[in-house]
Amino acid sequence: MLTKAQVEAARQRALEYFEKASIVLTDEEKANIEVADFGLGDLENTGLQLVTYVNTDRYCAKEMVLFPGQTCPEHRHPDRGGARGKQETFRCRYGEVYLNVAGPETKDRVSRPPQGDEEYYTVFHEIRLLPGEQYTLEPNALHWFQAGPNGAVVSEFSSTSDDESDIFTDPRIRRIPQVEE
Amino acid sequence: MLTKAQVEAARQRALEYFEKASIVLTDEEKANIEVADFGLGDLENTGLQLVTYVNTDRYCAKEMVLFPGQTCPEHRHPDRGGARGKQETFRCRYGEVYLNVAGPETKDRVSRPPQGDEEYYTVFHEIRLLPGEQYTLEPNALHWFQAGPNGAVVSEFSSTSDDESDIFTDPRIRRIPQVEE
């Protein structure tokens, strides 16, 4: 569980990356940047900072920051009660991000699962995204992503987002953040 | 109808605004910026420059440039064959944009229909969007928008985009661009 101080520190750090990417946020968005440690308590290695611009019953748009080397752990978006799972497009805005999906393992891949968590990572077809480059994931496609050494800012365009239904490979993970009161 | 030279000039000019907004595009995106004059042949006053990042059967994301004072004319996105019309969110990234929707006419509003086209503009509830500010339009909501004196860069997040079904107040308008060969 993250402490309030940890969340606040991560927000301030995330703001530095939004500034590097010249992304303008409102004061309210800045104050409410979501800091997700996925319940692993190791934000530096496994985590994500995000701002959700809009999430209707039809589409969603978010802006995400990954700190240098930080990983969003492997997961997929399954169908939900007859409705198709989330389809999503990642577009790199700043830095570089390594997106891993199913397919032939990339030779000399750059991204590596966080140390000690290797057993919870199963797809290693690595797609490198530099600013202006993007990739679209179909529903239920396993994926994980990791920032390069300068961090990354990534836009996510998608169908409706419903974090509760995500399925992570690592059974220890809890997506819905819990913050110490 | 725009000439190829006019389209190319508008693309180059649009790139300047994307640069001001620090938005990175691929070379392919730069070469294919869509330049829409809505069939009126008066791009300086009525027009839009846009890059479509992704448009699936579920969601769409675009980046738009309006030159100083340029107007995207009044239109709406109706239901289509039983499917709900397009819902869309505009987020200002650079400059300022004046979005007009149905509602009480705004006193001392800044945006004005292009001269001579006043009869084709019917909604005057003006919403000013500065960088970081956004507004979501429900399907079938009449709207038009105009950039301030420094132009504007605006992100559009939406359900699937289908320009062919848009209904413009001005019957002279043809949304699907035609370029002189």
Side-chain angles (χ1 to χ4, degrees):
Chain A
M1 194 185 296
L2 294 170
T3 65
K4 280 186 176 180
Q6 285 174 312
V7 170
E8 196 45 46
R11 282 182 178 148
Q12 288 305 317
R13 192 174 175 204
L15 284 177
E16 293 171 21
Y17 288 88
F18 282 127
E19 275 171 28
K20 287 174 200 268
S22 299
I23 286 172
V24 182
L25 302 175
T26 63
D27 288 343
E28 190 182 348
E29 289 168 336
K30 289 178 185 175
N32 291 290
I33 294 173
E34 183 183 348
V35 178
D37 76 343
F38 300 94
L40 297 184
D42 183 22
L43 185 69
E44 185 71 19
N45 290 305
T46 302
L48 194 60
Q49 296 64 231
L50 48 137
V51 173
T52 299
Y53 289 147
V54 60
N55 187 22
T56 76
D57 65 339
R58 303 175 73 184
Y59 60 87
C60 179
K62 301 179 180 181
E63 212 81 76
M64 308 187 294
V65 167
L66 292 110
F67 300 139
Q70 198 182 34
T71 300
C72 176
E74 186 177 289
H75 65 288
R76 58 191 173 89
H77 307 288
D79 291 349
R80 301 165 284 193
R84 288 185 288 176
K86 186 182 176 204
Q87 182 187 43
E88 58 192 12
T89 301
F90 295 119
R91 184 178 177 93
C92 182
R93 302 288 196 166
Y94 169 85
E96 57 187 332
V97 63
Y98 295 91
L99 175 63
N100 284 268
V101 299
E105 180 169 349
T106 300
K107 282 181 187 165
D108 304 320
R109 61 190 161 85
V110 174
S111 53
R112 300 277 164 194
Q115 206 169 6
D117 294 350
E118 290 82 357
E119 65 185 299
Y120 305 117
Y121 288 77
T122 67
V123 296
F124 302 105
H125 185 71
E126 182 185 77
I127 297 153
R128 181 191 192 206
L129 297 177
L130 296 175
E133 297 177 338
Q134 64 183 45
Y135 189 87
T136 297
L137 286 163
E138 293 307 313
N140 215 33
L142 272 174
H143 60 287
W144 61 280
F145 49 98
Q146 185 172 78
N150 297 315
V153 178
V154 180
S155 296
E156 181 189 284
F157 315 122
S158 72
S159 56
T160 304
S161 183
D162 166 22
D163 294 333
E164 291 83 351
S165 66
D166 295 351
I167 296 177
F168 286 84
T169 305
D170 183 344
R172 301 169 302 168
I173 285 180
R174 299 289 172 266
R175 172 64 181 88
I176 307 305
Q178 298 181 317
V179 177
E180 196 174 70
E181 287 301 320
Chain B
M1 196 185 293
L2 293 170
T3 66
K4 279 186 174 178
Q6 286 175 312
V7 169
E8 196 44 47
R11 281 179 179 150
Q12 289 304 316
R13 193 173 175 205
L15 285 177
E16 294 171 21
Y17 288 88
F18 282 127
E19 276 172 28
K20 287 174 200 269
S22 299
I23 286 172
V24 182
L25 302 175
T26 64
D27 288 342
E28 190 182 348
E29 289 168 335
K30 288 179 186 175
N32 291 290
I33 294 173
E34 183 184 349
V35 179
D37 78 342
F38 300 93
L40 297 185
D42 183 22
L43 186 68
E44 185 73 19
N45 291 304
T46 304
L48 194 62
Q49 296 65 230
L50 47 140
V51 173
T52 300
Y53 289 148
V54 59
N55 187 22
T56 77
D57 66 337
R58 302 175 73 185
Y59 61 87
C60 179
K62 301 180 180 180
E63 213 81 76
M64 308 188 292
V65 167
L66 291 110
F67 301 139
Q70 199 181 33
T71 301
C72 176
E74 186 178 290
H75 65 287
R76 59 191 173 89
H77 307 289
D79 292 349
R80 301 165 284 194
R84 287 183 289 175
K86 187 183 178 202
Q87 181 188 43
E88 58 192 11
T89 302
F90 295 119
R91 185 178 176 93
C92 182
R93 300 289 196 166
Y94 168 84
E96 58 188 331
V97 63
Y98 295 90
L99 174 63
N100 284 268
V101 299
E105 180 170 349
T106 300
K107 281 180 188 166
D108 304 320
R109 61 190 162 84
V110 173
S111 53
R112 300 278 166 194
Q115 208 169 5
D117 293 351
E118 290 82 358
E119 64 185 299
Y120 306 118
Y121 289 77
T122 67
V123 296
F124 301 105
H125 185 71
E126 183 186 76
I127 296 151
R128 182 191 192 207
L129 297 177
L130 295 176
E133 297 177 339
Q134 64 183 46
Y135 189 87
T136 297
L137 285 163
E138 294 306 314
N140 214 34
L142 272 175
H143 60 286
W144 61 280
F145 49 98
Q146 185 172 78
N150 297 315
V153 178
V154 180
S155 296
E156 182 190 284
F157 314 123
S158 72
S159 56
T160 304
S161 183
D162 165 22
D163 294 333
E164 291 83 353
S165 66
D166 295 350
I167 295 178
F168 286 84
T169 306
D170 183 344
R172 301 169 302 168
I173 285 179
R174 298 289 171 268
R175 173 64 182 87
I176 308 305
Q178 298 181 318
V179 178
E180 197 173 70
E181 287 302 320

